[in-house]
C-alpha cells in the first residue's frame, strides 16, 4: 500500500509502521471481502424467529453471537472499517509529501556517474552540446524538461513524462478513506453507543405500537437508517421498524406514506410476476403531496430518503368463520367475524384458548395431477384460499394450522384439507375431511356429533341392532353397553384407544384375542351407526339393509380415517372459512443513507486512481553532458519495467542521436 520514502528524515515508531503496513491493509481488506460475501449469501436483518426456523437454536445463537445476521452493523465490522481508515490515513500522511515531492523532482542535479547507473544508459563521445536542441527534442517527445548547469561546465537536461502517476496512489488511498467514512455514516455506531449508555433498548415483545416504550423509539432526526413497514391498502404510516439485535426499534418519519392501491400479478406457477403500489407522500414542507407508483427497482426518492417496493403480504383480510367443536354432541358451529392479525379469545368446556390469525393466502399453486393435466392442459393447479392461524392455550402452548377453504381432489375423491404442526420448523401434518355428495362438510360434522353423543349412540345402536331370540335382556343390554364403551374409546383416541385399553385391562396372554374381538365389534358398531345415521338423516336416500352406494361406502371409510386422526389434531376445534374480503398490504423499505453519496464519490475516486495506476506511467530521461570528458550520457528510468520500456528507450536514443548529430 505504501512505498519507501524518497527521503527519510526520521524513522517512524513500530506502531506507526504497523498501521501503515501493506500486510495490515491486505488483512483488513480480506476481512471486509469475507464480510461482504456473508452479507450477500446470508439474508440480513430478518426477524430473529426466521433464523431459528432456518438454522435451529444452536447455530442461530452462534451466528447471532458473531453478528452474521447484521454483518454491516456488527461491532467487529465497524472496528475493521475504523482500522482500515486509520491504516490508510497513516499510510497517506506518511507518504503523500514524498509522492508530491517526487512529482516535482526532476533529479537534474545528480552526478554523471549516477546517471550511468540508471536502469537504461548509453554514453557517446561528442564535440559539443546544443542545450536548446536537446531540450526541444525531449519536449517534442512529450517530456516536461528542466535544465541544470554545474559549476564545472556540465549540463543536464532532465525530462519527465507521466508526472501525475503518483496521483494514482493518492487517489486510491483517499478513496478508501472516503468509502470507509461513508460506510461509517450509514452504520449503527451511534445506536450501539446509545445502547451501551442505556438510552436505547430494542423491543422484543409483540405489542401494540402505542405500548412500545420510548427507549425503543428513534427520532425523525436519526442520521441514517434502513427499515421496513407493511401498509395495508387505504392505510397510512409515519413509522417504520428497524431490526436490531433480537428485537426491533421504531423509527419515526418526518413524513407520512398513504397506500392507495396495491397490485400483484402471478405466473402460472404461482410465483409473483410483478407487484407495485400507488403511494402518496405527504410532508409539512411540501406544497402538494407526491403521488407515484413504485415497484421493484423503481423507488420514490424524497430528499435523502428512498422508498422501495420490497415485499407484500396480507393487510388484514376480513374473515367470516365457523368454529366447529369437535367434541360436541351437537353440530352447532360458532360463527365469528374477525380479520388477519387479530386475536380472538375462545372459552370452551375444556379450557380457554386464543386464536391468532396470522395470514391469508388467495393462491396455493401445486403441480397438477396427471388426470388434471389431461383434462385442463395445465401443469399447475390452484388449491384455493387458505388461512394460517394459531390456537394457543392459557399455558402459552400453540398449535399452528393451515386450513383450506375449498375441497381438493385426492385420488378421485374430494377432501377438505387442514394441516397442523406444533413447531414452526416442522412440516404440517394434514387431516383430510371427506366432502359429501354436495361437496360440503355437513355430513362429516353431523356424523361426528353422533359419535360424541352417548345417548344418541345408545338409541341408534338399539334401533340398528334388534334383540335376537337367543339373547336375554341382560345379555342384550351388556352387548349394547360394550359397543357404546367401544365407541367412547374410539372417539377418545381412535383405534389406538382400544389397543391401549386392552393392554391396560386384559391379561397379557389374552390381549391379542380380546383386541381382535373389540376391533371387530368396534367396526360392526360403527357400520351400524352409520347405516342408522344415513337412514334417519337422509331419508330421501331410502337406505335399508346395506344398500349404500359406492360413494357412501367410500365416504364412510374416509370419515373413519379422519375421525381416527382427530385425537392428534390439537385442541378440538375446526375453523371453517365461510367467506372473506381480501385486503392486501405492501411491504415498503425506507432508507436514509447520507453515506451513500459519499461512498459513490469514493468509488469514483477509486476508479480514477486505479486507472491512473494502471495506465499512467512515470518515465524519466536525462541528457547529461560532461565537458571534461566531451561525452553525452543518455539515461532513462520507467517506474513500470515493462517489455516495451527498453524498446521505447532505444527509440528515444536514436531520435536524440539524430537530432544532436551524435555518432
Amino acid at each position: 500500500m505504501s512505498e519507501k520514502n524518497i527521503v527519510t528524515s526520521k524513522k517512524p515508531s513500530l506502531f506507526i509502521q504497523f498501521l501503515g503496513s501493506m500486510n495490515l491493509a491486505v488483512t483488513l481488506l480480506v476481512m471486509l471481502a469475507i464480510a461482504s460475501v456473508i452479507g450477500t449469501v446470508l439474508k440480513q436483518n430478518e426477524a430473529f424467529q426466521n433464523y431459528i426456523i432456518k438454522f435451529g437454536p444452536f447455530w442461530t445463537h452462534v451466528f447471532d453471537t458473531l453478528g452474521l445476521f447484521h454483518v454491516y452493523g456488527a461491532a467487529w465490522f465497524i472496528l475493521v472499517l475504523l482500522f482500515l481508515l486509520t491504516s490508510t490515513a497513516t499510510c497517506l500522511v506518511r507518504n503523500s509529501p514524498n509522492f508530491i515531492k517526487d512529482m516535482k523532482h526532476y533529479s537534474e542535479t545528480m552526478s554523471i556517474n549516477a546517471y550511468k547507473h540508471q536502469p537504461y544508459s548509453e554514453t557517446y563521445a561528442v564535440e559539443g552540446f546544443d542545450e536548446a536542441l536537446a531540450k526541444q527534442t525531449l519536449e517534442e517527445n512529450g517530456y516536461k524538461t528542466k535544465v541544470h548547469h554545474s559549476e564545472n561546465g556540465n549540463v543536464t537536461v532532465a525530462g519527465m513524462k507521466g508526472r501525475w502517476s503518483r496521483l494514482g496512489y493518492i487517489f486510491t488511498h483517499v478513496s478508501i478513506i472516503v468509502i470507509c467514512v461513508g460506510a461509517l455514516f450509514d452504520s449503527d455506531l451511534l445506536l450501539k453507543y446509545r445502547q451501551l449508555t442505556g438510552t436505547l433498548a430494542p423491543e422484543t415483545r409483540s405489542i401494540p405500537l402505542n405500548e412500545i416504550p420510548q427507549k425503543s423509539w428513534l427520532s425523525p432526526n436519526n442520521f441514517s437508517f434502513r427499515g421496513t413497514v407493511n401498509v395495508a391498502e387505504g392505510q397510512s404510516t409515519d413509522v417504520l421498524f428497524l431490526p436490531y439485535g433480537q428485537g426491533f426499534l421504531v423509527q419515526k418519519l418526518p413524513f407520512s406514506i398513504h397506500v392507495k392501491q396495491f397490485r400483484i400479478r402471478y405466473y402460472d406457477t404461482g410465483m409473483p410476476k410483478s407487484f407495485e403500489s400507488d403511494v402518496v407522500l405527504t410532508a409539512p414542507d411540501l406544497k402538494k403531496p407526491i403521488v407515484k407508483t413504485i415497484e421493484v427497482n423503481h423507488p420514490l426518492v424524497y430528499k435523502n430518503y428512498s422508498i422501495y417496493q420490497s415485499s407484500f403480504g396480507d393487510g388484514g383480510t376480513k374473515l367470516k368463520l365457523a368454529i366447529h367443536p369437535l367434541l360436541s354432541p351437537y353440530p352447532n358451529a360458532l360463527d365469528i367475524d374477525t380479520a388477519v392479525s387479530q386475536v380472538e379469545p375462545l372459552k370452551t368446556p375444556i379450557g380457554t384458548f386464543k386464536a391468532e390469525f396470522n395470514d391469508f393466502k388467495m393462491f396455493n399453486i401445486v403441480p397438477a395431477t396427471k388426470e388434471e393435466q389431461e383434462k385442463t392442459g395445465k401443469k399447475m393447479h390452484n388449491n384455493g384460499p387458505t388461512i394460517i392461524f394459531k390456537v394457543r392455550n392459557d399455558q402459552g402452548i400453540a398449535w399452528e394450522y393451515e386450513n383450506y377453504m375449498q375441497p381438493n381432489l385426492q385420488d378421485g375423491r374430494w377432501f377438505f384439507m387442514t394441516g397442523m404442526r406444533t413447531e414452526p420448523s416442522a412440516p404440517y401434518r394434514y387431516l383430510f375431511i371427506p366432502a359429501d355428495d354436495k361437496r360440503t362438510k355437513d355430513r362429516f360434522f353431523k356424523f361426528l356429533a353422533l359419535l360424541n353423543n352417548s345417548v344418541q349412540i345408545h338409541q341408534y345402536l338399539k334401533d340398528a341392532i334388534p334383540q335376537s331370540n337367543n339373547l336375554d335382556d341382560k345379555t342384550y343390554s351388556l352387548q349394547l353397553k360394550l359397543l357404546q364403551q367401544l365407541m367412547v374409546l374410539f372417539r377418545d383416541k381412535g383405534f389406538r384407544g382400544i389397543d391401549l385399553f386392552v393392554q391396560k385391562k386384559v391379561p397379557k396372554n389374552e390381549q391379542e384375542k380380546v383386541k381382535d374381538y373389540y376391533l371387530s365389534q368396534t367396526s360392526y358398531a360403527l357400520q351400524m351407526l352409520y347405516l342408522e345415521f344415513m337412514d334417519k338423516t337422509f331419508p330421501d336416500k331410502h337406505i335399508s339393509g346395506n344398500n349404500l352406494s359406492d360413494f357412501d361406502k367410500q365416504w364412510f371409510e374416509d370419515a373413519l380415517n379422519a375421525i381416527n386422526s382427530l385425537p392428534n389434531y390439537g385442541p378440538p376445534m375446526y375453523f371453517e372459512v365461510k367467506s372473506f374480503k381480501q385486503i392486501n398490504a405492501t411491504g415498503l423499505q425506507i432508507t436514509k443513507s447520507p453515506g451513500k453519496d459519499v461512498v459513490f464519490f469514493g468509488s469514483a475516486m477509486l476508479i480514477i486512481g486505479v486507472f491512473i495506476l494502471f495506465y499512467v506511467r512515470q518515465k524519466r530521461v536525462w541528457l547529461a553532458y560532461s565537458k571534461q570528458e566531451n561525452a553525452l550520457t543518455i539515461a532513462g528510468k520507467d517506474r513500470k519495467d515493462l517489455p516495451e520500456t527498453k524498446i521505447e528507450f532505444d527509440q528515444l536514443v536514436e531520435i536524440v542521436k539524430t537530432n544532436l548529430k551524435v555518432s
Side-chain angles (χ1 to χ4, degrees), residues 431-460:
L431 177 71
F432 294 87
I433 297 176
D436 55 29
D437 49 4
K438 297 180 181 178
R439 293 190 187 175
T440 71
K441 296 178 283 290
D442 292 347
R443 183 191 297 188
F444 179 81
F445 287 115
K446 288 179 180 178
F447 184 59
L448 181 64
L450 168 62
L451 296 183
N452 294 330
N453 193 326
S454 58
V455 175
Q456 206 167 20
I457 286 176
H458 179 79
Q459 186 60 49
Y460 274 38

mmCIF file of all heavy atoms in Angstrom, residues 431-460:
data_model
loop_
_atom_site.group_PDB
_atom_site.id
_atom_site.type_symbol
_atom_site.label_atom_id
_atom_site.label_comp_id
_atom_site.label_asym_id
_atom_site.label_seq_id
_atom_site.Cartn_x
_atom_site.Cartn_y
_atom_site.Cartn_z
ATOM 1 N N LEU A 431 -54.883 -33.361 7.890
ATOM 2 C CA LEU A 431 -56.109 -34.111 8.143
ATOM 3 C C LEU A 431 -57.017 -33.904 6.934
ATOM 4 O O LEU A 431 -57.212 -32.767 6.488
ATOM 5 C CB LEU A 431 -56.793 -33.602 9.418
ATOM 6 C CG LEU A 431 -58.128 -34.236 9.788
ATOM 7 C CD1 LEU A 431 -57.914 -35.668 10.269
ATOM 8 C CD2 LEU A 431 -58.817 -33.415 10.882
ATOM 9 N N PHE A 432 -57.557 -35.007 6.409
ATOM 10 C CA PHE A 432 -58.398 -34.936 5.211
ATOM 11 C C PHE A 432 -59.849 -35.237 5.602
ATOM 12 O O PHE A 432 -60.189 -36.375 5.935
ATOM 13 C CB PHE A 432 -57.921 -35.941 4.161
ATOM 14 C CG PHE A 432 -56.554 -35.624 3.606
ATOM 15 C CD1 PHE A 432 -55.407 -36.078 4.241
ATOM 16 C CD2 PHE A 432 -56.422 -34.848 2.469
ATOM 17 C CE1 PHE A 432 -54.160 -35.790 3.736
ATOM 18 C CE2 PHE A 432 -55.175 -34.548 1.951
ATOM 19 C CZ PHE A 432 -54.037 -35.018 2.592
ATOM 20 N N ILE A 433 -60.663 -34.200 5.583
ATOM 21 C CA ILE A 433 -62.081 -34.350 5.914
ATOM 22 C C ILE A 433 -62.841 -34.610 4.611
ATOM 23 O O ILE A 433 -62.815 -33.775 3.698
ATOM 24 C CB ILE A 433 -62.616 -33.087 6.601
ATOM 25 C CG1 ILE A 433 -61.882 -32.869 7.929
ATOM 26 C CG2 ILE A 433 -64.118 -33.182 6.819
ATOM 27 C CD1 ILE A 433 -62.275 -31.601 8.650
ATOM 28 N N PRO A 434 -63.516 -35.755 4.494
ATOM 29 C CA PRO A 434 -64.185 -36.073 3.220
ATOM 30 C C PRO A 434 -65.386 -35.172 2.968
ATOM 31 O O PRO A 434 -66.167 -34.862 3.881
ATOM 32 C CB PRO A 434 -64.605 -37.528 3.403
ATOM 33 C CG PRO A 434 -64.736 -37.700 4.877
ATOM 34 C CD PRO A 434 -63.703 -36.818 5.502
ATOM 35 N N ALA A 435 -65.491 -34.723 1.734
ATOM 36 C CA ALA A 435 -66.650 -33.918 1.340
ATOM 37 C C ALA A 435 -67.811 -34.855 1.001
ATOM 38 O O ALA A 435 -67.614 -35.966 0.501
ATOM 39 C CB ALA A 435 -66.305 -33.050 0.140
ATOM 40 N N ASP A 436 -69.023 -34.402 1.283
ATOM 41 C CA ASP A 436 -70.194 -35.225 0.953
ATOM 42 C C ASP A 436 -70.552 -35.047 -0.524
ATOM 43 O O ASP A 436 -69.803 -34.408 -1.285
ATOM 44 C CB ASP A 436 -71.364 -34.886 1.872
ATOM 45 C CG ASP A 436 -71.713 -33.405 1.846
ATOM 46 O OD1 ASP A 436 -71.476 -32.760 0.802
ATOM 47 O OD2 ASP A 436 -72.215 -32.889 2.861
ATOM 48 N N ASP A 437 -71.696 -35.589 -0.912
ATOM 49 C CA ASP A 437 -72.065 -35.538 -2.324
ATOM 50 C C ASP A 437 -72.387 -34.132 -2.805
ATOM 51 O O ASP A 437 -72.497 -33.888 -4.002
ATOM 52 C CB ASP A 437 -73.237 -36.485 -2.609
ATOM 53 C CG ASP A 437 -74.375 -36.295 -1.628
ATOM 54 O OD1 ASP A 437 -74.280 -35.374 -0.774
ATOM 55 O OD2 ASP A 437 -75.360 -37.043 -1.686
ATOM 56 N N LYS A 438 -72.538 -33.187 -1.870
ATOM 57 C CA LYS A 438 -72.736 -31.787 -2.233
ATOM 58 C C LYS A 438 -71.456 -30.976 -2.065
ATOM 59 O O LYS A 438 -71.479 -29.756 -2.116
ATOM 60 C CB LYS A 438 -73.851 -31.181 -1.380
ATOM 61 C CG LYS A 438 -75.205 -31.835 -1.611
ATOM 62 C CD LYS A 438 -76.273 -31.186 -0.733
ATOM 63 C CE LYS A 438 -77.630 -31.849 -0.947
ATOM 64 N NZ LYS A 438 -78.677 -31.256 -0.062
ATOM 65 N N ARG A 439 -70.359 -31.677 -1.815
ATOM 66 C CA ARG A 439 -69.044 -31.084 -1.590
ATOM 67 C C ARG A 439 -69.052 -30.100 -0.421
ATOM 68 O O ARG A 439 -68.503 -28.992 -0.507
ATOM 69 C CB ARG A 439 -68.506 -30.418 -2.856
ATOM 70 C CG ARG A 439 -68.181 -31.418 -3.956
ATOM 71 C CD ARG A 439 -67.431 -30.776 -5.093
ATOM 72 N NE ARG A 439 -67.289 -31.715 -6.204
ATOM 73 C CZ ARG A 439 -66.763 -31.429 -7.378
ATOM 74 N NH1 ARG A 439 -66.312 -30.206 -7.601
ATOM 75 N NH2 ARG A 439 -66.682 -32.336 -8.327
ATOM 76 N N THR A 440 -69.685 -30.525 0.663
ATOM 77 C CA THR A 440 -69.683 -29.757 1.897
ATOM 78 C C THR A 440 -69.181 -30.663 3.017
ATOM 79 O O THR A 440 -68.965 -31.868 2.846
ATOM 80 C CB THR A 440 -71.091 -29.240 2.242
ATOM 81 O OG1 THR A 440 -71.917 -30.347 2.641
ATOM 82 C CG2 THR A 440 -71.718 -28.524 1.054
ATOM 83 N N LYS A 441 -69.036 -30.049 4.201
ATOM 84 C CA LYS A 441 -68.602 -30.799 5.374
ATOM 85 C C LYS A 441 -69.773 -31.162 6.285
ATOM 86 O O LYS A 441 -69.566 -31.670 7.392
ATOM 87 C CB LYS A 441 -67.568 -29.975 6.159
ATOM 88 C CG LYS A 441 -66.279 -29.710 5.389
ATOM 89 C CD LYS A 441 -65.307 -28.848 6.170
ATOM 90 C CE LYS A 441 -65.720 -27.394 6.155
ATOM 91 N NZ LYS A 441 -65.580 -26.735 4.852
ATOM 92 N N ASP A 442 -70.991 -30.886 5.861
ATOM 93 C CA ASP A 442 -72.149 -31.073 6.740
ATOM 94 C C ASP A 442 -72.275 -32.511 7.225
ATOM 95 O O ASP A 442 -72.479 -32.758 8.426
ATOM 96 C CB ASP A 442 -73.436 -30.655 6.009
ATOM 97 C CG ASP A 442 -73.488 -29.153 5.765
ATOM 98 O OD1 ASP A 442 -72.663 -28.433 6.373
ATOM 99 O OD2 ASP A 442 -74.327 -28.702 4.972
ATOM 100 N N ARG A 443 -72.188 -33.474 6.321
ATOM 101 C CA ARG A 443 -72.368 -34.864 6.729
ATOM 102 C C ARG A 443 -71.309 -35.271 7.756
ATOM 103 O O ARG A 443 -71.619 -35.959 8.731
ATOM 104 C CB ARG A 443 -72.298 -35.797 5.521
ATOM 105 C CG ARG A 443 -72.548 -37.258 5.896
ATOM 106 C CD ARG A 443 -72.230 -38.244 4.781
ATOM 107 N NE ARG A 443 -73.069 -38.057 3.610
ATOM 108 C CZ ARG A 443 -73.078 -38.909 2.579
ATOM 109 N NH1 ARG A 443 -72.283 -39.981 2.592
ATOM 110 N NH2 ARG A 443 -73.861 -38.681 1.538
ATOM 111 N N PHE A 444 -70.068 -34.821 7.561
ATOM 112 C CA PHE A 444 -68.994 -35.217 8.469
ATOM 113 C C PHE A 444 -69.260 -34.732 9.891
ATOM 114 O O PHE A 444 -69.141 -35.490 10.854
ATOM 115 C CB PHE A 444 -67.654 -34.672 7.972
ATOM 116 C CG PHE A 444 -66.497 -35.012 8.867
ATOM 117 C CD1 PHE A 444 -65.885 -36.252 8.800
ATOM 118 C CD2 PHE A 444 -66.026 -34.095 9.811
ATOM 119 C CE1 PHE A 444 -64.822 -36.582 9.640
ATOM 120 C CE2 PHE A 444 -64.975 -34.405 10.648
ATOM 121 C CZ PHE A 444 -64.366 -35.651 10.558
ATOM 122 N N PHE A 445 -69.616 -33.452 10.022
ATOM 123 C CA PHE A 445 -69.801 -32.918 11.369
ATOM 124 C C PHE A 445 -71.070 -33.459 12.031
ATOM 125 O O PHE A 445 -71.134 -33.570 13.256
ATOM 126 C CB PHE A 445 -69.800 -31.391 11.330
ATOM 127 C CG PHE A 445 -68.430 -30.814 11.101
ATOM 128 C CD1 PHE A 445 -68.140 -30.099 9.947
ATOM 129 C CD2 PHE A 445 -67.418 -31.011 12.023
ATOM 130 C CE1 PHE A 445 -66.883 -29.590 9.724
ATOM 131 C CE2 PHE A 445 -66.150 -30.501 11.810
ATOM 132 C CZ PHE A 445 -65.875 -29.792 10.661
ATOM 133 N N LYS A 446 -72.063 -33.807 11.235
ATOM 134 C CA LYS A 446 -73.256 -34.445 11.811
ATOM 135 C C LYS A 446 -72.928 -35.852 12.314
ATOM 136 O O LYS A 446 -73.361 -36.247 13.404
ATOM 137 C CB LYS A 446 -74.370 -34.494 10.766
ATOM 138 C CG LYS A 446 -75.002 -33.140 10.476
ATOM 139 C CD LYS A 446 -76.090 -33.256 9.405
ATOM 140 C CE LYS A 446 -76.723 -31.892 9.118
ATOM 141 N NZ LYS A 446 -77.754 -31.962 8.056
ATOM 142 N N PHE A 447 -72.157 -36.588 11.523
ATOM 143 C CA PHE A 447 -71.775 -37.936 11.944
ATOM 144 C C PHE A 447 -70.837 -37.874 13.152
ATOM 145 O O PHE A 447 -70.928 -38.689 14.083
ATOM 146 C CB PHE A 447 -71.106 -38.668 10.778
ATOM 147 C CG PHE A 447 -70.769 -40.100 11.077
ATOM 148 C CD1 PHE A 447 -71.760 -41.016 11.441
ATOM 149 C CD2 PHE A 447 -69.448 -40.547 11.007
ATOM 150 C CE1 PHE A 447 -71.442 -42.340 11.718
ATOM 151 C CE2 PHE A 447 -69.134 -41.863 11.278
ATOM 152 C CZ PHE A 447 -70.132 -42.763 11.634
ATOM 153 N N LEU A 448 -69.945 -36.894 13.166
ATOM 154 C CA LEU A 448 -69.043 -36.726 14.304
ATOM 155 C C LEU A 448 -69.829 -36.385 15.567
ATOM 156 O O LEU A 448 -69.529 -36.900 16.661
ATOM 157 C CB LEU A 448 -68.020 -35.621 14.002
ATOM 158 C CG LEU A 448 -66.985 -35.339 15.085
ATOM 159 C CD1 LEU A 448 -66.092 -36.557 15.309
ATOM 160 C CD2 LEU A 448 -66.135 -34.116 14.720
ATOM 161 N N ALA A 449 -70.833 -35.522 15.433
ATOM 162 C CA ALA A 449 -71.659 -35.177 16.594
ATOM 163 C C ALA A 449 -72.375 -36.411 17.141
ATOM 164 O O ALA A 449 -72.526 -36.570 18.359
ATOM 165 C CB ALA A 449 -72.669 -34.097 16.207
ATOM 166 N N LEU A 450 -72.803 -37.301 16.247
ATOM 167 C CA LEU A 450 -73.433 -38.546 16.697
ATOM 168 C C LEU A 450 -72.469 -39.363 17.546
ATOM 169 O O LEU A 450 -72.838 -39.872 18.615
ATOM 170 C CB LEU A 450 -73.894 -39.352 15.485
ATOM 171 C CG LEU A 450 -74.318 -40.806 15.758
ATOM 172 C CD1 LEU A 450 -75.525 -40.861 16.693
ATOM 173 C CD2 LEU A 450 -74.620 -41.535 14.451
ATOM 174 N N LEU A 451 -71.213 -39.483 17.112
ATOM 175 C CA LEU A 451 -70.231 -40.270 17.864
ATOM 176 C C LEU A 451 -69.873 -39.609 19.198
ATOM 177 O O LEU A 451 -69.319 -40.268 20.080
ATOM 178 C CB LEU A 451 -68.967 -40.461 17.026
ATOM 179 C CG LEU A 451 -69.125 -41.265 15.733
ATOM 180 C CD1 LEU A 451 -67.780 -41.430 15.043
ATOM 181 C CD2 LEU A 451 -69.747 -42.618 16.002
ATOM 182 N N ASN A 452 -70.152 -38.315 19.331
ATOM 183 C CA ASN A 452 -69.906 -37.622 20.598
ATOM 184 C C ASN A 452 -71.108 -37.700 21.553
ATOM 185 O O ASN A 452 -71.002 -37.317 22.718
ATOM 186 C CB ASN A 452 -69.584 -36.146 20.340
ATOM 187 C CG ASN A 452 -68.278 -35.962 19.597
ATOM 188 O OD1 ASN A 452 -67.367 -36.771 19.729
ATOM 189 N ND2 ASN A 452 -68.181 -34.896 18.816
ATOM 190 N N ASN A 453 -72.242 -38.188 21.057
ATOM 191 C CA ASN A 453 -73.497 -38.179 21.827
ATOM 192 C C ASN A 453 -73.786 -39.598 22.323
ATOM 193 O O ASN A 453 -74.282 -40.445 21.584
ATOM 194 C CB ASN A 453 -74.634 -37.664 20.936
ATOM 195 C CG ASN A 453 -75.878 -37.337 21.724
ATOM 196 O OD1 ASN A 453 -76.183 -38.004 22.730
ATOM 197 N ND2 ASN A 453 -76.619 -36.333 21.265
ATOM 198 N N SER A 454 -73.475 -39.879 23.584
ATOM 199 C CA SER A 454 -73.640 -41.230 24.132
ATOM 200 C C SER A 454 -75.105 -41.656 24.166
ATOM 201 O O SER A 454 -75.429 -42.824 23.936
ATOM 202 C CB SER A 454 -73.037 -41.302 25.536
ATOM 203 O OG SER A 454 -73.655 -40.352 26.395
ATOM 204 N N VAL A 455 -75.992 -40.708 24.441
ATOM 205 C CA VAL A 455 -77.424 -41.042 24.486
ATOM 206 C C VAL A 455 -77.909 -41.443 23.106
ATOM 207 O O VAL A 455 -78.607 -42.455 22.932
ATOM 208 C CB VAL A 455 -78.238 -39.848 25.023
ATOM 209 C CG1 VAL A 455 -79.733 -40.153 24.960
ATOM 210 C CG2 VAL A 455 -77.818 -39.517 26.448
ATOM 211 N N GLN A 456 -77.515 -40.670 22.124
ATOM 212 C CA GLN A 456 -77.953 -40.955 20.756
ATOM 213 C C GLN A 456 -77.304 -42.241 20.227
ATOM 214 O O GLN A 456 -77.924 -43.002 19.479
ATOM 215 C CB GLN A 456 -77.614 -39.769 19.845
ATOM 216 C CG GLN A 456 -78.517 -39.664 18.634
ATOM 217 C CD GLN A 456 -78.372 -38.327 17.921
ATOM 218 O OE1 GLN A 456 -77.389 -37.628 18.085
ATOM 219 N NE2 GLN A 456 -79.375 -37.965 17.151
ATOM 220 N N ILE A 457 -76.066 -42.481 20.630
ATOM 221 C CA ILE A 457 -75.404 -43.728 20.223
ATOM 222 C C ILE A 457 -76.192 -44.930 20.739
ATOM 223 O O ILE A 457 -76.438 -45.903 20.014
ATOM 224 C CB ILE A 457 -73.950 -43.761 20.751
ATOM 225 C CG1 ILE A 457 -73.067 -42.818 19.941
ATOM 226 C CG2 ILE A 457 -73.382 -45.176 20.684
ATOM 227 C CD1 ILE A 457 -71.649 -42.722 20.446
ATOM 228 N N HIS A 458 -76.578 -44.854 21.994
ATOM 229 C CA HIS A 458 -77.334 -45.957 22.593
ATOM 230 C C HIS A 458 -78.636 -46.206 21.831
ATOM 231 O O HIS A 458 -78.981 -47.351 21.516
ATOM 232 C CB HIS A 458 -77.628 -45.633 24.060
ATOM 233 C CG HIS A 458 -78.428 -46.700 24.742
ATOM 234 N ND1 HIS A 458 -77.879 -47.882 25.206
ATOM 235 C CD2 HIS A 458 -79.767 -46.773 25.027
ATOM 236 C CE1 HIS A 458 -78.829 -48.631 25.742
ATOM 237 N NE2 HIS A 458 -79.984 -47.969 25.656
ATOM 238 N N GLN A 459 -79.329 -45.115 21.497
ATOM 239 C CA GLN A 459 -80.603 -45.264 20.804
ATOM 240 C C GLN A 459 -80.402 -45.783 19.373
ATOM 241 O O GLN A 459 -81.132 -46.668 18.916
ATOM 242 C CB GLN A 459 -81.329 -43.916 20.770
ATOM 243 C CG GLN A 459 -82.739 -43.994 20.187
ATOM 244 C CD GLN A 459 -83.638 -44.920 20.985
ATOM 245 O OE1 GLN A 459 -83.716 -44.836 22.221
ATOM 246 N NE2 GLN A 459 -84.327 -45.835 20.307
ATOM 247 N N TYR A 460 -79.375 -45.259 18.694
ATOM 248 C CA TYR A 460 -79.116 -45.685 17.321
ATOM 249 C C TYR A 460 -78.709 -47.154 17.264
ATOM 250 O O TYR A 460 -79.141 -47.901 16.382
ATOM 251 C CB TYR A 460 -78.016 -44.821 16.690
ATOM 252 C CG TYR A 460 -78.524 -43.539 16.053
ATOM 253 C CD1 TYR A 460 -79.557 -42.814 16.639
ATOM 254 C CD2 TYR A 460 -77.959 -43.048 14.877
ATOM 255 C CE1 TYR A 460 -80.017 -41.644 16.059
ATOM 256 C CE2 TYR A 460 -78.405 -41.877 14.295
ATOM 257 C CZ TYR A 460 -79.441 -41.177 14.896
ATOM 258 O OH TYR A 460 -79.897 -40.022 14.324
#
